[in-house]
Amino acid sequence: KRDELYFVGDLVVKGPRSNDCVDFIRSTNRTYSVMGNHDYELLNVGRATNSIPSDIRIPHFQFSNYMAKDPFIMTNHSETAKSLTKQNLEYLASLP
């Protein structure tokens, strides 16, 4: 009962089951994460492509913006954003 899991970001866009990954972290007790650059990029690209509801507040961080210039990465992030539930998008947006 003392075990804890810590994730250091990049919960999404690292495989075909991003929604399942975020579900697992959200629903497992004593599991914590911070936002990674892929999580942040997914939120921003998703917002730019209207894949994320406007009521989800996206924080502002100083991550590198190299990905925003790559059309393949933008498409991958946008498609993944569409596959996530609203609850999982809200969870990602709430990460420190």
Side-chain angles (χ1 to χ4, degrees), residues 32-89:
Y32 312 95
S33 184
V34 294
M35 185 181 295
N37 61 319
H38 284 277
D39 309 318
Y40 185 68
E41 194 68 21
L42 175 134
L43 293 169
N44 284 298
V45 170
R47 174 61 51 79
T49 58
N50 296 316
S51 302
I52 294 181
S54 60
D55 63 326
I56 294 178
R57 185 181 167 276
I58 299 173
H60 296 284
F61 294 115
Q62 293 294 327
F63 283 113
S64 170
N65 64 357
Y66 74 95
M67 290 186 292
K69 298 174 184 164
D70 184 330
F72 173 74
I73 290 176
M74 287 180 61
T75 300
N76 199 11
H77 283 69
S78 177
E79 292 302 313
T80 302
K82 291 175 189 174
S83 75
L84 296 179
T85 64
K86 183 175 183 191
Q87 292 83 3
N88 286 343
L89 290 167

